[in-house]
Amino acid sequence: MEKDVVAVIGPQSSSIAHIISPVVNELHVPLLSFAATDPTLTALQFPYFLRTTQNDYFQMYAIADLVEFYGWREVIAIFVDDDYGRNGISILGDALAKKRAKISYKAAFTPGAPRSDIINLLIGVNLMESRVFVVHVNPDSGLTIFSVAKYLRMMITGYVWIATDWLPSLLDLSEVADPGTMDLLQGVIALRHHTPDSDLKKNFTSRWKSLKPETTSFNSYALYAYDSIWLLARALDVFFSQGGNVSLSADPRLPNTNGSTINFTGPRIVNEGHKLLQILLGMNFTGLTGQIQYDTEKNLIHPAFDILNIGGTGFRIIGFWSNYSGLSVVAPEILYTKPPNTSASNQRLYSPIWPGEITEKPRGWVFPNNGKPLQIAVPNRVSYKEFASKDNGPLGVTGYCIDVFEAAVNLLPYAVPHTYILYGDGLRNPSYTNLVSDVAGNKYDATVGDITITTNRTRIVDFTQPFMESGLVIVAPVKETKSSPWAFLRPFTVEMWCVTGAFFLFVGAVVWILEHRMNHEFRGPPSQQLITIFWFSFSTMFFAHRENTVSTLGRLVLILWLFVVLIINSSYTASLTSILTVQQLTSKIEGIESLISSTDPIGIQDGSFAYNYLVNELNIAQSRIRSLKNLEEYAHVLQLGPKNGGVAAIVDELPYIELFLSKTKCQFSVVGQEFTKSGWGFAFQRDSPLAVDLSTAILQLSENGDLQRIHDKWLSLNGCSAKSNQVDATRLSLTSFWGLFLICGIASFLALTIFFCRVCLQYRRYNLEGEEQEVEDLEPSRRRRTMSSTSFKNFIDKKEAEIKEVLKRKSSGDSKRHASQSSDGHPSSPS
């Protein structure tokens, strides 16, 4: 830097770039690096550092997308312990966390570490669970890692090796690959900077080979170095064409050395350095590596990588990655012409050949090869030991949950070495919340038992598919309902009885109105007619009415009413039979609403999540809740009742309650409905791949019937119904019949409307003809009306036949009178 320098190209490592960048910042000298990929060389900290290659930030996100694509959850990072290695792996950890994956272990080694250190390092990681290794090292030590891995038999079936761009850069330096080197790398996945196969690149390669025949091949970094030279040359051309002038000035902050061998006065500040930097950032041209243009964060636009699969004597491209569309088998430069699509359904790669020459995707994990089996905690239950409890057998535990777990493990395509550890002192049921927390805290690998899947628990552990449906219910003390002399009134509610009685009278009155004028059975003195209405109304209940209906409208109304009566009779008979023959149970507690509103004590199972649910979700006072240890205490406190030191009801999960009711011979009953829905599952540590495989196995158990057979083995019940038939549930209300009453009411109204319209027309005709009829006396001047108007009341009380007869006579008399008047008006013929 003692010379007059306006720009620097290099260095070739991130570590040296970290050392030089502060110096060029002070001197305002742009530093163009085609090999320093460390993502921490940011624009904010080092404004004069300009990366002319791709940032490792994007390469690590490409690896994270690759891990997510194959469904792996954990990787082991092997890296060199310098700025390049540490910072790259740090970004990889962030990228994996966004995909719900993680680095399970970071295996670092010092630059230039001997082979013995690498052997010890790989022996340690080989004892761990993950089988996915990401190798982010320098080329000088990278092949040593794969040589040791092959020596330790870590390049066989089941292993996954992902190498960053250092490996393709090393392989691309020779046109013909070394067979010994390729033998170390069989099945490895590697990422390489993507450079389009353009004519410009092909022409350069041809010209370079003619100039340097000894250099037959070069890697992507060589292409970026070439583009870096042209980037600076073009920028300087623009700088000078815009009238720029390079001027240097001494830095007054540099000390005077007074003859020291260290010359601090040599470097000078480039006064126009910032202007040159802005021109560099604004350049836009096409180079050998593609489009050279910077974004707002001073990164080259369109970062992309080739995904290589090494096999045989070479490698093949199985896909591409770009931050524009993720994983694809289509070249990025083609995708840039289409709308971006990074959806999971759009991610695709060709099938690689994995270590061991297999095409099936490796599982990516195994049980740790450290001689330690899976540590599984089992709740040491005091009550309901059918689900899980201590045993003197080989497993040390027994129960329904244990049998389900063992059956599911036997379906897995690999062995699962495990040992059961009892959780709890055996004097009372353990806290299941604490048990799940211990699994989340890595104290146990998993827990097997009657573990309820709740929202809070799913935040800290992974559950399998539920193997048992569950939910909170209420069981309360009940007593048999005593027989009552008024039991015949129970089938209907009060409203139903009132409406039914009203309709009997209403229909009787309607039929009487419709039949009164033409049916002699509905005529007579008022008292007799009133009795007829009541008799006819209620006799239809038994279809015993003796009066015949003769009018069309009356028959229509009666038919509809008899249909309604038939439905009511049938429903009443069925409900009364149920009430009198089925044992009825009653309880003060009718469901969760009445339980919340009361102030009586509530019992729960010791260690159950029901305590937190009642207190936190339903806001029930803690003073009301009592923990119960076993079935005997359940029955005892229920029989005592709240007034004698017991409880009003017990809230527990349905599987426990079904077993409790079965063992107590149905002395108690579930009241109300199940007010939560959940299930039981096996809990594992977060991101455990075993949870996924066991979920598949549990579904298989359910489909082939083994799950039901295990259930019948441990939880066979005596058929006691979990729910009592409440009296109110069998009572019939108006809600079930208002449609029938509505139809009958509308039909009656229409029949009455038609009837009165017809009567009114007859009445009008009857009166008009009576007024017009006159009889002439012998004296022409004297006239008198022979018939006066009849009142509507009297008219409607007349028989239909009499009205018709009168109207018929009047019509006949009018015809004769008109004929006589016509004869008198004509002159007689001559004699």
Side-chain angles (χ1 to χ4, degrees), residues 46 54-55 74 156 189-190 200 286 288 373 499 515 549 705 727:
F46 307 112
Q54 295 296 346
N55 192 334
E74 295 183 2
I156 60 175
I189 302 293
L200 183 64
T286 301
L288 299 181
V499 172
E515 294 289 323
T549 53
V727 175

Side-chain angles (χ1 to χ4, degrees), residues 40-302:
T40 62
L41 292 167
T42 59
L44 293 177
Q45 185 178 5
F46 307 112
Y48 282 87
F49 175 82
L50 193 62
R51 198 190 326 266
T52 57
T53 185
Q54 295 296 346
N55 192 334
D56 269 349
Y57 174 90
F58 300 107
Q59 181 172 208
M60 296 307 163
Y61 271 82
I63 294 175
D65 284 348
L66 199 63
V67 171
E68 181 188 37
F69 177 77
Y70 288 112
W72 300 315
R73 306 292 290 273
E74 295 183 2
V75 303
I76 293 177
I78 302 173
F79 61 97
V80 61
D81 194 10
D82 60 8
D83 291 331
Y84 161 75
R86 286 191 303 271
N87 297 331
I89 294 303
S90 176
I91 297 297
L92 176 61
D94 296 339
L96 288 173
K98 294 180 180 180
K99 309 292 184 181
R100 282 205 64 187
K102 67 178 181 179
I103 299 176
S104 61
Y105 183 74
K106 295 181 180 180
F109 61 91
T110 58
R115 182 182 177 90
S116 59
D117 289 353
I118 296 178
I119 290 176
N120 293 331
L121 182 73
L122 293 188
I123 289 175
V125 299
N126 196 35
L127 296 176
M128 298 179 183
E129 180 178 296
S130 177
R131 283 293 180 264
V132 181
F133 302 100
V134 177
V135 183
H136 184 56
V137 298
N138 294 319
D140 56 357
S141 56
L143 291 180
T144 305
I145 291 176
F146 287 103
S147 174
V148 172
K150 187 173 181 63
Y151 169 74
L152 296 176
R153 294 185 56 80
M154 296 175 66
M155 299 298 295
I156 60 175
T157 301
Y159 288 84
V160 178
W161 292 87
I162 302 175
T164 53
D165 63 311
W166 67 267
L167 181 56
S169 300
L170 181 64
L171 298 178
D172 286 341
L173 292 177
S174 58
E175 189 169 355
V176 179
D178 178 55
T181 300
M182 300 306 294
D183 184 57
L184 301 175
L185 304 172
Q186 297 298 303
V188 174
I189 302 293
L191 275 71
R192 180 180 65 184
H193 296 127
H194 176 73
T195 55
D197 292 329
S198 61
D199 293 336
L200 183 64
K201 178 181 174 181
K202 293 176 181 178
N203 294 335
F204 169 78
T205 303
S206 177
R207 287 187 289 112
W208 183 265
K209 288 182 178 181
S210 62
L211 292 174
K212 299 285 184 178
E214 67 277 10
T215 307
T216 58
S217 181
F218 38 80
N219 57 28
S220 61
Y221 287 104
L223 301 179
Y224 281 115
Y226 182 84
D227 285 344
S228 300
I229 301 295
W230 274 105
L231 173 63
L232 181 58
R234 288 171 180 265
L236 289 172
D237 183 60
V238 173
F239 175 78
F240 290 117
S241 66
Q242 293 178 353
N245 185 25
V246 178
S247 61
L248 306 172
S249 60
D251 190 346
R253 293 171 293 179
L254 293 177
N256 190 348
T257 59
N258 294 325
S260 172
T261 56
I262 302 176
N263 186 3
F264 284 106
T265 60
R268 294 194 292 173
I269 297 175
V270 180
N271 296 326
E272 291 79 12
H274 181 72
K275 180 179 179 181
L276 178 59
L277 178 64
Q278 295 304 314
I279 294 175
L280 286 166
L281 292 174
M283 296 303 297
N284 185 1
F285 69 96
T286 301
L288 299 181
T289 58
Q291 187 176 1
I292 305 299
Q293 183 181 356
Y294 287 92
D295 58 20
T296 57
E297 296 182 356
K298 296 185 181 180
N299 290 316
L300 288 175
I301 64 171
H302 300 324

Side-chain angles (χ1 to χ4, degrees), residues 381 383-384 429 473 475-477 603-608 610 626-641 646-653 656-661 664 668:
R381 295 195 58 87
S383 61
Y384 301 110
N429 291 335
V473 294
V475 61
I604 64 167
Q605 184 181 168
D606 193 17
S608 171
R626 289 182 53 183
S627 295
L628 308 174
K629 295 182 179 180
N630 50 48
L631 273 70
E632 292 74 15
E633 192 172 1
Y634 270 41
H636 179 65
V637 296
L638 284 174
Q639 290 171 348
L640 287 178
V647 297
I650 291 176
V651 175
D652 208 345
E653 295 181 75
Y656 301 127
I657 295 302
E658 288 179 340
L659 195 59
F660 169 69
L661 295 179
T664 55
F668 309 96

Side-chain angles (χ1 to χ4, degrees), residues 748-758:
S748 300
F749 176 77
L750 292 177
L752 288 176
T753 302
I754 296 173
F755 172 78
F756 281 111
C757 288
R758 191 159 65 93

Side-chain angles (χ1 to χ4, degrees), residues 577-654:
T577 302
S578 175
I579 291 174
L580 296 179
T581 58
V582 178
Q583 185 184 39
Q584 295 296 326
L585 302 173
T586 60
S587 172
K588 179 181 177 182
I589 302 299
E590 298 178 353
I592 187 62
E593 292 81 7
S594 58
L595 188 67
I596 295 174
S597 61
S598 71
T599 58
D600 295 332
I602 303 171
I604 64 167
Q605 184 181 168
D606 193 17
S608 171
F609 83 100
Y611 179 88
N612 291 333
Y613 182 84
L614 294 177
V615 173
N616 299 330
E617 300 297 332
L618 302 183
N619 298 319
I620 293 177
Q622 298 182 21
S623 58
R624 294 180 56 193
I625 300 176
R626 289 182 53 183
S627 295
L628 308 174
K629 295 182 179 180
N630 50 48
L631 273 70
E632 292 74 15
E633 192 172 1
Y634 270 41
H636 179 65
V637 296
L638 284 174
Q639 290 171 348
L640 287 178
K643 295 181 179 180
N644 299 317
V647 297
I650 291 176
V651 175
D652 208 345
E653 295 181 75
L654 185 59

Side-chain angles (χ1 to χ4, degrees), residues 478-483 582-586:
V478 292
K479 60 181 179 179
E480 186 176 355
T481 303
K482 295 181 180 180
S483 179
V582 178
Q583 185 184 39
Q584 295 296 326
L585 302 173
T586 60

